[in-house]
Amino acid sequence: MSETAAVPSAPLRARAEIDLGALRANVRALRARARGAAVMAVVKSDAYGHGAVPCARAALAAGASWLGTATPEEALALRAAGLPGRILCWLWVPGGPWRQAIEADIDVSVSGMWALREVTAAAREAGRTARVQLKADTGLGRGGCQPGEDWAGLVAAALRAEAEGLIRVTGLWSHLACADEPGHPSVAAQLARFREMTAFAERQGVRPEVRHLANSPATLTLPETHFDLVRTGIAVYGVSPSPELGAPADFGLRPVMTLSASLALVKRVPGGHGVSYGHHYVTPGETTLGLVPVGYADGIPRHASGSGPVLVDGKWRTVAGRVAMDQFVVDLAGDEPPVGAEAVLFGPGDRGEPTAEDWAQACGTIAYEIVTRIGTRVPRVYVNGEEAG
């Protein structure tokens, strides 16, 4: 089934165009980088704002072997939409939908004894073997089991549950803290710790299908971290995980989302005219202003006030004054494009438009946040939803 939505005959207030052809090409580029390791396409947070189900389908079509989500609800939604294959979800709280995940053949991550107790109880109730991956904290300090006695205890308990037929330990994994910072000493330290912890588990009798450590930046630049599977998130969507590592094109990637809006008003104003709340921008002379009908309710960062770049009528403009809930203004410097003209906030950069990284730099954040925060008031329009031919 095609994921391509028809382009509307009339301009939308705003739209996020999602190029599924670019996403498929990105997955293929990441498979080449993985050098034999399987590729997981992470589609958490609605595929980083791009739309989980269409992006998951495109990623699988391009050869991704696994899908990854943070929450079990995200994973269950993929199954409800008919997505096949292996799905791992890793962010659990007590009382989570363990049984539903087991019955949906979802691999669940376990970082501590409480979670192992809950998943084994759910497996007993369901009368099915749960697929469980044990997560090690090798130095990130978030989820994962601490090395030493905690890890030894978790491994032993998991093996006992496996012997009862309640679980199958399908994976051992961890997450890197600083893979996006070239040369950071924590990378080598975490890699060594991961090898130690997986070797211990295997000596005790764990036989994982996959061991995985690499995220997007490690997939792109640290082949020694690839093991059996790489977890690619932001890179799937053609965004570089760090400008220090390189631009998307340096890795054969292309940004998938283009965010645009239709100008709602163009008007001439005199010099000394205050613009938007607080009058933090005052026109330096007679000029024209363009009203862009998106704001922080749509995910446009308020921190972009006075700095966010927008392409209008072939020229870069800058957000004039504060970003409001539903709209912001650009100073058109006397130009008078027609009402309804396209304002491109970010895209691949092919037409000279800003990129998500340009917005991140303007706001003092990372490009992950720029694409992920685009809200549900902005419709996603999918293009290139099927392979040519």
Side-chain angles (χ1 to χ4, degrees):
M1 183 174 108
S2 172
E3 294 293 352
T4 304
V7 177
S9 57
L12 296 170
R13 174 187 68 93
R15 57 186 269 159
E17 183 175 287
I18 310 300
D19 185 347
L20 296 177
L23 189 147
R24 292 192 302 271
N26 293 340
V27 170
R28 288 191 288 266
L30 292 166
R31 289 176 61 200
R33 288 268 176 179
R35 300 181 184 181
V39 170
M40 174 188 291
V42 178
V43 294
K44 65 181 181 177
S45 190
D46 200 29
Y48 293 60
H50 293 68
V53 170
C55 290
R57 286 194 178 121
L60 292 175
S65 303
W66 288 71
L67 300 173
T69 72
T71 70
E73 291 79 13
E74 292 171 331
L76 290 167
L78 294 177
R79 282 287 191 248
L83 271 296
R86 302 298 288 273
I87 302 174
L88 172 66
C89 66
W90 49 78
L91 192 59
W92 290 85
V93 295
W98 298 102
R99 179 168 179 172
Q100 294 96 311
I102 294 166
E103 291 174 340
D105 291 324
I106 292 166
D107 287 60
V108 301
S109 179
V110 165
S111 294
M113 293 296 288
W114 75 265
L116 185 62
R117 286 192 294 269
E118 291 204 3
V119 72
T120 53
R124 189 175 284 109
E125 291 172 4
R128 296 182 62 169
T129 301
R131 291 204 294 256
V132 171
Q133 300 208 9
L134 304 181
K135 184 177 184 183
D137 183 359
T138 56
L140 179 58
R142 297 191 322 193
C145 183
Q146 287 295 103
E149 292 183 4
D150 288 352
W151 182 246
L154 183 64
V155 167
L159 286 168
R160 289 194 296 271
E162 193 168 61
E164 291 183 57
L166 296 171
I167 73 168
R168 164 83 177 94
V169 180
T170 61
L172 301 171
W173 73 291
S174 188
H175 195 41
L176 293 165
C178 303
D180 56 348
E181 300 180 40
H184 197 285
S186 69
V187 174
Q190 283 196 258
L191 178 58
R193 180 61 57 83
F194 184 66
R195 286 177 170 145
E196 292 168 2
M197 294 177 78
T198 56
F200 171 83
E202 290 168 349
R203 286 197 302 271
Q204 302 308 303
V206 174
R207 297 293 178 263
E209 297 173 30
V210 288
R211 300 159 299 152
H212 48 109
L213 178 64
N215 51 8
S216 283
T219 300
L220 295 173
T221 64
L222 299 167
E224 66 273 23
T225 67
H226 289 179
F227 292 92
D228 307 304
L229 173 69
V230 297
R231 301 184 310 275
T232 53
I234 197 66
V236 168
Y237 310 100
V239 176
S240 172
S242 169
E244 288 77 19
L245 296 179
D250 295 328
F251 303 108
L253 304 175
R254 178 177 172 81
V256 171
M257 181 188 292
T258 297
L259 179 66
S260 62
S262 300
L263 288 183
L265 181 66
V266 176
K267 63 182 179 182
R268 185 164 292 278
V269 298
H273 198 296
V275 177
S276 196
Y277 293 122
H279 284 182
H280 291 274
Y281 181 79
V282 177
T283 58
E286 183 179 351
T287 189
T288 45
L289 300 178
L291 184 64
V292 183
V294 289
Y296 57 76
D298 302 290
I300 309 306
R302 193 168 182 269
H303 280 91
S305 299
S307 61
V310 185
L311 184 73
V312 181
D313 202 27
K315 299 178 184 177
W316 270 38
R317 323 288 180 163
T318 302
V319 175
R322 282 185 176 164
V323 174
M325 183 178 290
D326 312 299
Q327 54 199 284
F328 65 83
V329 175
V330 292
D331 189 332
L332 297 170
D335 295 337
E336 297 190 25
V339 173
E342 184 181 48
V344 183
L345 281 73
F346 60 81
D350 295 348
R351 296 181 292 159
E353 76 274 17
T355 65
E357 182 59 40
D358 291 319
W359 272 78
Q361 294 294 324
C363 300
T365 185
I366 56 175
Y368 296 68
E369 183 180 359
I370 299 301
V371 294
T372 302
R373 70 186 297 162
I374 301 306
T376 56
R377 293 202 312 185
V378 178
R380 273 58 173 174
V381 178
Y382 295 94
V383 299
N384 300 320
E386 292 182 339
E387 297 279 8

